[in-house]
Amino acid sequence: EGGTIRFLTNQPNMSTFSGNVQSELSGTEHGGLNYDEQAMVNVPIVQDKLAVRIAGEYGQQSGYINNYTLTGQLADKGVNSEVDEALHISAKFAPTADFVITPSIFYQEVDARDSPTFFPNLGTYNQDKQVREYDNDQIIIPSITIKKGLGFADFTSISSDFYRHILR
């Protein structure tokens, strides 16, 4: 139940320009439309020396829980909707064949309007809470990897930080 978590991501390609766009649509029963948009671009800036890769994602999941007032009037539909965002920017710099520096930053945010709690006495997927259980979870992970060939061995240094802010 313990240990290290490694994020293994695609590295910038220093010789080939590439890009990708992906879109997904779906629906939620008792809810509405969901979507997820993803894009990536890899740009070699100096052939075989420097490249940048940027990947991002934005999605929205519709809610399926309805909130009612204490007098039984519908106050809001789909209160448990969620918005997700992610961005990963990385660069790769190789001043020589045996020396590579790879800085990167990863950002992710999940924003939930309310919890998916419902009260069976009000009917499935219904609630009458008067206070929302809002949840915003933000993560930022900057890192840098340095690799240097020494002839008889390779030196690798990986440094990172982990920032997380949760608002509930």
Side-chain angles (χ1 to χ4, degrees):
E1 295 295 327
T4 301
I5 298 173
R6 290 180 64 192
F7 287 93
L8 299 176
T9 60
N10 291 329
Q11 297 297 301
N13 184 318
M14 295 188 295
S15 61
T16 306
F17 176 87
S18 63
N20 185 31
V21 176
Q22 181 176 322
S23 181
E24 296 177 13
L25 289 174
S26 65
T28 298
E29 188 174 350
H30 304 288
L33 182 67
N34 309 309
Y35 61 90
D36 188 63
E37 312 298 331
Q38 301 175 22
M40 179 281 299
V41 64
N42 183 89
V43 181
I45 297 171
V46 177
Q47 185 74 20
D48 298 324
K49 296 287 183 193
L50 177 63
V52 175
R53 179 184 171 91
I54 301 170
E57 179 176 10
Y58 182 85
Q60 183 170 350
Q61 303 296 315
S62 67
Y64 53 89
I65 302 294
N66 297 324
N67 183 267
Y68 287 84
T69 65
L70 293 177
T71 60
Q73 301 298 316
L74 179 63
D76 197 1
K77 288 183 160 195
V79 296
N80 64 316
S81 65
E82 182 176 294
V83 173
D84 307 300
E85 300 171 331
L87 179 66
H88 183 227
I89 302 171
S90 59
K92 192 171 195 177
F93 176 55
T96 65
D98 65 347
F99 184 48
V100 179
I101 301 169
T102 309
S104 74
I105 187 162
F106 174 77
Y107 166 83
Q108 176 180 298
E109 186 170 355
V110 177
D111 191 21
R113 288 182 53 216
D114 200 349
S115 73
T117 304
F118 67 89
F119 306 137
N121 63 319
L122 298 175
T124 305
Y125 309 117
N126 295 326
Q127 60 170 251
D128 63 359
K129 296 186 305 176
Q130 298 306 293
V131 178
R132 290 207 173 177
E133 297 174 31
Y134 174 84
D135 189 354
N136 180 273
D137 189 351
Q138 185 182 71
I139 296 172
I140 301 172
I141 305 172
S143 69
I144 187 165
T145 301
I146 300 170
K147 294 182 180 183
K148 174 68 172 129
L150 303 174
F152 62 94
D154 291 334
F155 169 80
T156 301
S157 170
I158 302 171
S159 300
S160 183
D161 189 29
F162 182 86
Y163 168 83
R164 186 172 193 185
H165 183 258
I166 302 173
L167 178 61
R168 292 194 173 130

